[in-house]
Amino acid sequence: SVNNLPEPCTEHMPTKSRSEPVGTLIYFNFRARGEPPRLVAAYAGLDLDQDIFTMREWGQYKQKMPKGQVPVLSLPDGTLMPEMNDICKFLALMPSPAGRQLVVDEGQDRMLRVVNGALLNRVAHITNMHPIAHAVAESDSVREEATQFLQQFTAQLGAGSFFGGAVPGYAELALWLLVEDCLLIVPDLLDPLDASFKQWYVRIADLPHLAEFFASRPQVGDGTYGMPGSILHSGAPRSAGTHGL
């Protein structure tokens, strides 16, 4: 708790509106694997700076990145931390300035290893990089793969509000992002699944601190995130089952 810390010297106190950044997340102008660390930071009230670049600029970033991959968390001391799973866990273990600590345990570690796999890779590519026509062509196949993949989690949820129990665990924010990505391709994906899972998805989206983040991040179709012509860049396809206007 903050109470037993020594009184800070007020001379160099940062302004109340902005705490010290915990680091800088280096990632494409995509959601994909960059989004779970952003969600963890938003939930915990951590100030996470962003270094966002486009695919065209990737060449000059790639050579500086450990493993030649992103996301990478650049820490205040200059250390570069690779791997989405490690970044998410590192941020989740930091004391939350807002007093909102995510659950970090073996179950959550295991969940993140499962979530950060082939389906996430596939749907992240489709929504952030591929032309919308490709997303439409892939939607039935994504529906089949995603439905099968998500079944394992409906059983784990049980009667709890969250997989972490009374409060969410850090890995479920990555699961939420995976589901959100799938829904951009298959809007009615959750309808046949257990109702409790759909309620969980809405419950995460409605958490006040996350709702604020969701409203302020680059929106689908506003031309900021994603490669030109992709769902993220140009908007979700108006296909059958889309809840249109």
Side-chain angles (χ1 to χ4, degrees):
S1 115
V2 187
N3 302 343
N4 51 16
L5 291 178
E7 277 300 305
C9 163
T10 50
E11 203 181 323
H12 301 292
M13 282 289 281
T15 54
K16 277 276 192 294
S17 61
R18 186 170 163 84
S19 53
E20 280 300 300
V22 293
T24 301
L25 187 75
I26 305 169
Y27 199 62
F28 294 103
N29 60 331
F30 295 169
R31 288 181 184 170
R33 286 191 170 89
E35 202 74 343
R38 295 172 189 142
L39 293 178
V40 169
Y43 179 87
L46 298 168
D47 191 353
L48 179 63
D49 281 343
Q50 305 285 329
D51 182 354
I52 293 169
F53 60 89
T54 63
M55 187 56 85
R56 195 177 294 158
E57 300 166 298
W58 173 225
Q60 64 206 60
Y61 275 82
K62 187 178 170 75
Q63 53 201 0
K64 299 179 215 158
M65 295 298 108
K67 304 187 176 185
Q69 295 171 336
V70 284
V72 163
L73 179 64
S74 172
L75 296 170
D77 68 358
T79 305
L80 296 178
M81 176 186 290
E83 301 288 351
M84 180 189 99
N85 295 19
D86 294 340
I87 294 168
C88 286
K89 186 170 183 174
F90 175 82
L91 293 172
L93 285 169
M94 295 190 88
S96 162
R100 293 188 296 262
Q101 216 63 47
L102 288 155
V103 174
V104 179
D105 61 18
E106 280 181 23
Q108 289 289 318
D109 293 349
R110 204 163 40 244
M111 175 187 269
L112 194 53
R113 285 195 296 272
V114 172
V115 168
N116 190 6
L119 179 61
L120 176 63
N121 201 44
R122 182 184 183 192
V123 295
H125 275 83
I126 293 173
T127 56
N128 291 273
M129 296 175 74
H130 294 169
I132 290 174
H134 180 254
V136 173
E138 293 286 304
S139 63
D140 285 344
S141 162
V142 168
R143 179 193 298 278
E144 195 177 330
E145 187 180 344
T147 303
Q148 198 175 345
F149 180 83
L150 294 175
Q151 297 287 1
Q152 62 188 307
F153 296 108
T154 58
Q156 284 176 33
L157 187 56
S161 293
F162 302 102
F163 290 91
V167 295
Y170 81 105
E172 39 191 305
L173 300 184
L175 177 60
W176 190 94
L177 176 273
L178 170 60
V179 175
E180 181 189 46
D181 244 5
C182 290
L183 289 170
L184 289 174
I185 306 165
V186 187
D188 59 351
L189 176 68
L190 299 185
D191 293 351
L193 292 178
D194 193 287
S196 64
F197 188 77
K198 197 172 185 176
Q199 287 156 5
W200 163 83
Y201 181 80
V202 173
R203 200 174 289 128
I204 293 274
D206 286 347
L207 290 166
H209 16 290
L210 287 183
E212 205 175 300
F213 171 79
F214 293 138
S216 65
R217 68 179 174 169
Q219 301 298 304
V220 170
D222 74 6
T224 310
Y225 270 12
M227 291 176 71
S230 66
I231 287 180
L232 223 64
H233 190 273
S234 308
R238 301 210 180 290
S239 59
T242 304
H243 306 296
L245 301 174

